[in-house]
Amino acid sequence: MFANKTIAIIGGGTAGWMSAAWLQHHCDDTARILLIESDDIGTIGVGEGTTPHLSVFFDTLGIKEQTWMPACSATFKNGITFTNWTSRPTAPSYFHPFPSASDRYSAGFFLQAVEAMRKNVPIGPTLPDSYFLSWHLTQAAQSPRRIKTGANIPLSYAYHFDAGLLARFLREWCEQRGVIRYQGRITRVGQHENGQISAVYTNNIDSPINADFFIDCSGFRSLLAQQTLNTPFVSYADSLLNNAAIALPCEALSPLSPHTVSCAMPSGWRWQIPLQHRTGNGYVYSDSYISAEEAEQQLVQAVASKPLNQSPTHLTFRVGRLEKTWSENCLSVGLSQGFIEPLEATGLHLVLCTLSEFTAAMARCNESQQAMNTVNESISARFDGIKDYIVAHYLMSDRNDSEYWRAARSVTPSDTLQALLDCWHNGGNLITKIDKLGISQYYSVISWYCLLAGYDAFTQNKTHPRAPLQWQQLQEKLKSWQAHFLDHEEALNQFL
């Protein structure tokens, strides 16, 4: 792949150095990989949570957790706890686990309870929490790493980390393997007569930096894709209202809890992400309903630990994606290709999906129109699928306490999401509907059930029954499995 060719990555940060590492691993030994970044341009670095898919990245490169996690102040993530997203007293919060092979035993009970409630014949609790081993581990501040007992209890998990430290770690890893770094601010982009990009010019190098292929990791500026190639942007602003965020680092929590917390706020939601050396806090909101100053005040009042001695970081963004991730001889990765608010921590998930699709298509078809079409169709569909799932969080809420929430609950869903919600509310076969809509590749059936049941948004009036004997036996089984897992901080200390 890219034999005897030069690939130039524009921009560093997590997306840039992930791209460099991935391409260095997959490209021909004769390929030359460059990365140009400016020390004067800071990185966003807000997203400090991931999905389990990120483990594919490290496993592919052969980088062990014991190597990268201590260097990036990383912690384990069993799932996401959503609080205050509904005013229903029966569902003040719910835990969304990462579906695992071990859940085959317990997920069936969860689906049965939900389906029975949808028919107004309740047989057991319908919040997902206690049906999943990940929740039990999180409640006990236990990691997803097993004690070496030989117990066959596979568990999916993700990570929290310091984005700046991860970029630095990957930079060192890449430079040790031959990736060439240029430091400088790009002042001009050159193009061939056919419109393809030929070179970039920087403020501190007299000659152009030429390349055969370019990776745009320039962030929201989208220097190559939008500013140079004029790639159209598909906005999601009509269905996702949030367009601003504040990041506020605080002292580390003790004990560390292996989950992300997403708490609904008057004009958006805030995150809490536990790292080894600090706690990441932030508020994602719409500036149409609250000012930056008011949002900062609300966030400071809400955080659970003392803010560190540094100013909050304010940023604005637009939600949506490029019409084409791959245009001409340029692939956009990260914020340059699009952004969906970080409610489900999908930023780096999309980076890895883009890189994986790109190298797979190149291996099959090289730099052909077929490869380009495959990547563009796949990534656009993935963006749209993730967007629908996030929109569903707002549409399922019953919050009516602010103008923001009334607006967020009244957006028009896509045809796909509307069909799924209609099926849920009308008592249809949700599993069949998800399969027919072709969306399970973005979020599994279990994930959809966790979201929909997590809001306790059942059409029928119902009472919550006492837990049946079968459910109690399930809890005992999960508790017995829990005994095989390490304390969260004990698991991290094994790396130090």
Side-chain angles (χ1 to χ4, degrees):
M1 186 186 302
F2 286 120
N4 298 305
K5 291 187 177 182
T6 298
I7 308 167
I9 301 167
I10 310 305
T14 313
W17 287 110
M18 280 183 67
S19 299
W22 189 262
L23 292 172
Q24 189 280 333
H25 179 81
H26 285 84
C27 285
D28 189 275
D29 290 340
T30 62
R32 184 167 175 258
I33 301 174
L34 319 174
L35 187 145
I36 304 100
E37 66 177 344
S38 172
D39 292 337
D40 298 330
I41 301 175
T43 58
I44 299 298
V46 169
E48 297 172 320
T50 70
T51 68
H53 195 52
L54 190 67
S55 63
V56 173
F57 174 80
F58 292 109
D59 290 346
T60 300
L61 301 183
I63 303 175
K64 297 184 180 299
E65 290 177 344
Q66 291 88 336
T67 301
W68 78 267
M69 288 186 69
C72 302
S73 190
T75 60
F76 295 108
K77 175 182 174 181
N78 290 330
I80 305 175
T81 297
F82 292 90
T83 63
N84 295 339
W85 280 80
T86 173
S87 62
R88 299 179 181 101
T90 51
S93 70
Y94 77 93
F95 181 79
H96 189 148
F98 299 118
S100 302
S102 60
D103 296 329
R104 293 173 185 170
Y105 174 77
S106 58
F109 293 97
F110 169 59
L111 294 180
Q112 290 175 29
V114 173
E115 285 303 313
M117 189 69 80
R118 293 179 70 208
K119 296 178 175 62
N120 209 21
V121 186
I123 61 172
T126 54
L127 288 181
D129 304 28
S130 55
Y131 288 96
F132 295 92
L133 177 59
S134 294
W135 179 82
H136 291 273
L137 297 178
T138 301
Q139 292 296 106
Q142 286 179 278
S143 80
R145 288 180 60 83
R146 297 191 301 278
I147 302 171
K148 294 182 179 180
T149 59
N152 184 23
I153 312 171
L155 194 65
S156 293
Y157 60 90
Y159 310 97
H160 307 115
F161 57 86
D162 184 307
L165 293 179
L166 180 59
R168 184 187 307 172
F169 173 86
L170 292 175
R171 170 185 164 183
E172 294 175 359
W173 190 91
C174 288
E175 289 186 307
Q176 290 171 4
R177 288 158 180 78
V179 175
I180 302 170
R181 176 183 181 264
Y182 289 92
Q183 198 289 122
R185 178 172 50 83
I186 293 175
T187 57
R188 184 161 67 90
V189 179
Q191 290 178 271
H192 295 294
E193 290 184 0
N194 64 1
Q196 292 196 342
I197 299 170
S198 60
V200 294
Y201 298 77
T202 67
N203 63 327
N204 55 359
I205 301 176
D206 293 333
S207 58
I209 301 175
N210 300 291
D212 301 289
F213 198 90
F214 293 80
I215 308 293
D216 188 349
C217 296
S218 61
F220 288 129
R221 292 176 299 152
S222 193
L223 181 62
L224 303 186
Q226 292 189 70
Q227 293 190 37
T228 303
L229 298 176
N230 298 314
T231 306
F233 185 81
V234 179
S235 175
Y236 291 160
D238 59 342
S239 52
L240 288 172
L241 305 184
N242 295 334
N243 62 354
I246 310 168
L248 178 66
C250 295
E251 292 180 346
L253 296 173
S254 182
L256 291 173
S257 187
H259 68 139
T260 298
V261 175
S262 170
C263 181
M265 296 283 282
S267 296
W269 60 275
R270 65 178 175 88
W271 74 79
Q272 177 181 284
I273 294 178
L275 305 180
Q276 294 184 40
H277 69 310
R278 63 175 170 83
T279 302
N281 293 282
Y283 188 175
V284 180
Y285 64 95
S286 169
D287 63 12
S288 295
Y289 300 91
I290 191 173
S291 69
E293 293 75 19
E294 291 173 311
E296 181 177 325
Q297 291 175 2
Q298 290 184 5
L299 177 60
V300 170
Q301 292 172 358
V303 296
S305 55
K306 182 180 178 181
L308 298 178
N309 188 25
Q310 63 186 81
S311 300
T313 300
H314 289 259
L315 61 133
T316 58
F317 53 83
R318 60 175 180 170
V319 289
R321 60 168 173 81
L322 295 181
E323 188 176 273
K324 295 180 179 179
T325 287
W326 182 353
S327 295
E328 301 293 348
N329 61 334
C330 174
L331 180 77
S332 296
V333 180
L335 297 177
S336 66
Q337 72 179 142
F339 183 72
I340 307 173
E341 64 167 77
L343 184 59
E344 290 284 343
T346 52
L348 295 188
H349 172 88
L350 286 163
V351 167
L352 181 55
C353 287
T354 300
L355 294 172
S356 299
E357 289 282 354
F358 176 67
T359 51
M362 285 287 292
R364 292 192 304 267
C365 311
N366 210 338
E367 294 178 70
S368 65
Q369 188 63 47
Q370 181 181 352
M372 183 182 292
N373 292 343
T374 298
V375 171
N376 286 332
E377 291 170 6
S378 174
I379 298 304
S380 293
R382 186 166 293 277
F383 262 87
D384 293 346
I386 292 172
K387 181 261 294 182
D388 279 350
Y389 191 78
I390 291 177
V391 171
H393 283 275
Y394 296 94
L395 296 182
M396 294 303 292
S397 175
D398 68 337
R399 287 190 60 146
N400 197 38
D401 55 313
S402 69
E403 185 181 357
Y404 168 86
W405 280 102
R406 289 188 288 273
R409 292 176 52 219
S410 63
V411 300
T412 302
S414 69
D415 292 343
T416 297
L417 180 55
Q418 185 65 64
L420 186 145
L421 295 179
D422 287 344
C423 180
W424 168 263
H425 290 303
N426 296 332
N429 188 319
L430 195 63
I431 296 176
T432 299
K433 177 61 70 173
I434 290 173
D435 180 64
K436 184 177 180 180
L437 292 171
I439 58 176
S440 60
Q441 58 187 311
Y442 312 126
Y443 285 93
S444 68
V445 167
I446 291 296
S447 290
W448 276 107
Y449 270 82
C450 286
L451 188 160
L452 297 169
Y455 283 81
D456 203 34
F458 295 92
T459 302
Q460 299 87 352
N461 294 321
K462 78 282 184 186
T463 57
H464 286 264
R466 296 180 62 183
L469 178 62
Q470 189 180 46
W471 186 83
Q472 294 171 352
Q473 292 172 338
L474 169 65
Q475 300 304 295
E476 293 172 2
K477 180 69 173 179
L478 293 175
K479 284 291 185 182
S480 69
W481 283 358
Q482 181 186 329
H484 293 282
F485 289 82
L486 290 169
D487 174 82
H488 189 202
E489 297 192 43
E490 178 186 359
L492 294 173
N493 288 335
Q494 289 185 343
F495 296 163
L496 301 178

